[in-house]
Amino acid sequence: MGLKIWLNDRLVNERDAKISVFDHGLLYGDGVFEGIRVYNGKVFEGSAHLKRLYESAKVIMLDVPMDIDTLTDAMEQTVRANNVQDGYIRLIVTRGTGDLGLNPFICKHGATIIIASEIQLYPEELYEKGLRVVSVSSIRNHPLSCPPQVKSLNYLNNILAKIEAIQTGADEAIMYNHLGYVAEASGDNVFIVREGVICTPPVQAGSLDGITRNIVIELAKKENIQVEEKDLTRFDLYVADEMFLTGTAAEVIGVIDMDGRVIGDGVPGPVTKRLRQRFFDYARS
Ligand code: PMP
């Protein structure tokens, strides 16, 4: 029978969830999206995700066809229709149907798609052991290109980074910005711990303004751990006592090796484990 998918203004069967081959979301990656978790049947941090979606849309001059309340209701209906208790929502707004030219303004109606389904986390073993990451040569978008804070449907830059990581046998890529400072991983934000202080690059360094990132910063402050947002170099990461990544799908996951340098003791560190547990509890409470 398949899933029930939200398409524009209603739920349809998966096999009927179709959009035009002339949709600029497909032709050009022109559109925006969000990945959102469902814990205990409830949409997690829905308003933060929708705020980011509308801001991304504003920057690319895309009119989201629904207001926030209607979109929130559509997400909740999709979660219920698919009986999702612990899962993942993919919310997509495309530019809509146009012609073969780039001009977005001839696309009259963006398509709204909501998929609520299971989630593929990293295997449990990787949370225990920690990830291996590598520096990659594909840099994060220059701030004068499509800004890295825009969560657009065009993820090729990050996909190129992921390919580089996979080809070297690593789990994740660390991406730098055009100045050579650390930006983020291909689909997660990056943190280090050094002498008891948590550091993460500022959003201006070219990272997505991660919702998990912001919650983890707040949780760390509640634990009386000092948090600094500052530019980090490859050196800072190599000599860190601990490193971890944050993201909607991954939550909080330790890193134990970067470019062949063992990070800290080569196992997820105590601050990483504590924040992972705090985030786990917070998300499910
Ligand atoms: N950076 C990138 C490039 C991402 O795509 C994501 C989301 N998968 C993140 C960071 C993490 O953001 P969030 O915590 O909001 O999922």
Side-chain angles (χ1 to χ4, degrees):
M1 212 180 75
L3 297 173
K4 295 276 186 203
I5 310 288
W6 187 276
L7 185 61
N8 296 324
D9 56 357
R10 73 188 69 141
L11 285 163
V12 299
N13 289 324
E14 188 180 318
R15 64 172 178 277
D16 301 320
K18 292 177 180 156
I19 62 165
S20 165
V21 293
F22 288 97
D23 193 303
H24 281 206
L26 173 67
L27 289 177
Y28 296 117
D30 186 350
V32 294
F33 79 100
E34 282 296 322
I36 308 167
R37 284 295 278 276
V38 178
Y39 294 107
N40 304 322
K42 294 211 170 63
V43 178
F44 181 65
E45 295 290 318
S47 51
H49 282 282
L50 288 181
K51 179 166 181 276
R52 190 167 69 186
L53 182 89
Y54 280 84
E55 285 179 357
S56 292
K58 177 176 185 179
V59 173
I60 68 163
M61 300 187 85
L62 167 67
D63 284 327
V64 178
M66 286 189 231
D67 63 31
I68 290 202
D69 290 344
T70 318
L71 204 44
T72 304
D73 185 55
M75 280 200 296
E76 284 166 0
Q77 281 193 51
T78 313
V79 167
R80 277 200 303 274
N82 292 287
N83 239 319
V84 175
Q85 282 304 309
D86 288 293
Y88 182 84
I89 301 171
R90 176 57 55 92
L91 166 61
I92 304 161
V93 181
T94 73
R95 184 73 70 175
T97 306
D99 62 17
L100 291 177
L102 282 178
N103 183 357
F105 299 117
I106 59 161
C107 306
K108 291 294 175 230
H109 297 285
T112 306
I113 301 161
I114 306 172
I115 306 166
S117 184
E118 305 297 306
I119 181 150
Q120 179 63 55
L121 288 176
Y122 283 118
E124 191 53 42
E125 180 201 333
L126 273 186
Y127 286 93
E128 301 295 325
K129 276 206 212 150
L131 300 177
R132 295 177 49 237
V133 300
V134 285
S135 298
V136 296
S137 64
S138 302
I139 61 167
R140 247 335 232 149
N141 289 11
H142 190 283
L144 293 177
S145 63
C146 183
Q149 284 106 307
V150 171
K151 200 162 166 62
S152 87
L153 288 181
N154 198 318
Y155 250 53
L156 269 177
N157 224 23
N158 297 47
I159 291 167
L160 290 177
K162 189 78 185 183
I163 288 172
E164 281 187 61
I166 292 167
Q167 286 192 325
T168 62
D171 301 302
E172 248 300 350
I174 297 295
M175 299 180 80
Y176 297 83
N177 63 23
H178 63 291
L179 299 171
Y181 292 109
V182 174
E184 59 179 349
S186 73
D188 293 306
N189 291 107
V190 59
F191 288 76
I192 57 169
V193 185
R194 173 98 164 139
E195 284 162 10
V197 178
I198 292 180
C199 299
T200 191
V203 170
Q204 291 73 18
S207 51
L208 189 74
D209 195 2
I211 285 154
T212 319
R213 168 189 189 274
N214 295 335
I215 294 172
V216 165
I217 289 174
E218 289 313 310
L219 291 172
K221 287 179 180 166
K222 273 197 200 136
E223 296 282 301
N224 290 319
I225 308 172
Q226 194 184 329
V227 183
E228 288 179 7
E229 294 181 51
K230 63 173 194 185
D231 278 327
L232 298 173
T233 63
R234 205 157 60 154
F235 176 90
D236 298 320
L237 270 52
Y238 289 160
V239 302
D241 300 325
E242 297 182 36
M243 192 190 308
F244 61 89
L245 306 182
T246 65
T248 290
E251 300 186 344
V252 177
I253 187 162
V255 174
I256 47 109
D257 186 290
M258 171 156 160
D259 298 337
R261 279 77 166 176
V262 174
I263 304 300
D265 298 328
V267 289
V271 176
T272 303
K273 282 177 157 163
R274 195 154 117 215
L275 287 173
R276 168 157 178 71
Q277 189 60 45
R278 292 291 171 277
F279 183 84
F280 186 96
D281 297 341
Y282 176 79
R284 288 156 181 84
S285 67

